[in-house]
Amino acid sequence: GWKLWISNDQENWYLVDELQNQTSASAAQVEAGRWSLAGKLSVTNTFTTTAIGDVAPVEIAQGATLKLDTDREAFGALSGAGTLELVRGAVAVVNAAAGDAGYSGAVTGAGKLVIAGEGVQTFDGATLDGGVTLSFAGGALAGGLTVNGALAVEGEVKFAVPADATKGYSQQLLSWTSIDDGSKAKLQAATIVNGSDLKTKNFKLIVSDTGCTLKYEAPGMAIIFR
């Protein structure tokens, strides 16, 4: 058994994992609870296992930085208003889950942000550096994400309609300075995951040279005079 504590400043310590009677030889793969970061934390990992539990939600407070200097680090839904920094091609895998708040911070550096899992990762005015590739691996994106520079997209894109969407729904999901033809085509072929009571067929995805907007378009009425 063990207790795992972390600190951002070596003064304030937080209990992130507590387990008893474990027989696994790979302790690093045991899932930890929510990671809440208030200062700066650098995760450097050259091993096959990861430092953060693959479904442990990560909350990065405003002014805080989570720096990933690793081949691949997977965790649960991302929330907060801080900075996720990817170093030297680091891959951050967000296993999206229901019930977690959106992320309004920044994703910086050069690497890959992967939207995975079975749920929806919500962005609320978040920003993404143009050096970071946006990759989809099962999860869906909701909310608004601004790309500072060129947008590069991988995988099968999924966009999500929130449960509280009304008939006047309109949301700019992504905006960018430039985009390559392949990434633009992936956005145009996106799947719409509908969590609302509105009919999926009435949602329209509009992809321009600078942004991607999802709108609800109510069916029109036809009047025939005879």
Side-chain angles (χ1 to χ4, degrees):
W2 64 82
K3 290 184 179 180
L4 175 63
W5 300 72
I6 67 168
S7 174
N8 300 312
D9 54 15
Q10 297 186 26
E11 293 181 1
N12 299 296
W13 292 84
Y14 305 93
L15 179 65
V16 295
D17 193 32
E18 181 177 1
L19 291 173
Q20 299 294 331
N21 301 319
Q22 297 298 309
T23 58
S24 171
S26 183
Q29 293 187 11
V30 177
E31 306 303 341
R34 175 177 290 274
W35 283 59
S36 297
L37 307 179
K40 293 184 178 180
L41 177 64
S42 179
V43 176
T44 302
N45 175 30
T46 58
F47 303 101
T48 56
T49 55
T50 58
I52 304 174
D54 287 356
V55 296
V58 169
E59 178 184 4
I60 309 175
Q62 185 173 4
T65 299
L66 173 59
K67 179 180 178 181
L68 299 183
D69 186 359
T70 176
D71 292 339
R72 180 183 183 277
E73 182 67 62
F75 44 83
L78 183 62
S79 63
T83 299
L84 174 63
E85 181 181 351
L86 306 181
V87 181
R88 293 183 295 184
V91 177
V93 181
V94 181
N95 287 309
D100 287 275
Y103 184 65
S104 59
V107 182
T108 66
K112 186 179 296 185
L113 179 65
V114 183
I115 309 300
E118 300 292 332
V120 177
Q121 174 60 49
T122 301
F123 294 99
D124 184 13
T127 59
L128 180 75
D129 274 4
V132 178
T133 298
L134 182 61
S135 180
F136 288 83
L141 182 153
L145 182 61
T146 299
V147 180
N148 296 321
L151 173 63
V153 179
E154 292 181 353
E156 297 182 6
V157 181
K158 289 183 181 180
F159 293 127
V161 179
D164 59 355
T166 63
K167 290 184 177 180
Y169 178 81
S170 178
Q171 175 68 53
Q172 185 174 56
L173 300 168
L174 290 163
S175 63
W176 54 81
T177 301
S178 62
I179 189 172
D180 62 89
D181 291 340
S183 294
K184 189 174 181 180
K186 288 183 180 297
L187 296 179
Q188 291 170 331
T191 299
I192 306 302
V193 179
N194 187 4
S196 74
D197 294 330
L198 303 176
K199 293 184 178 180
T200 301
K201 66 179 182 180
N202 292 331
F203 284 98
K204 183 178 181 181
L205 188 65
I206 303 171
V207 181
S208 70
D209 290 334
T210 58
C212 177
T213 303
L214 183 62
K215 292 185 177 182
Y216 178 82
E217 295 189 348
M221 179 180 295
I223 301 177
I224 300 175
F225 294 95
R226 294 183 177 177

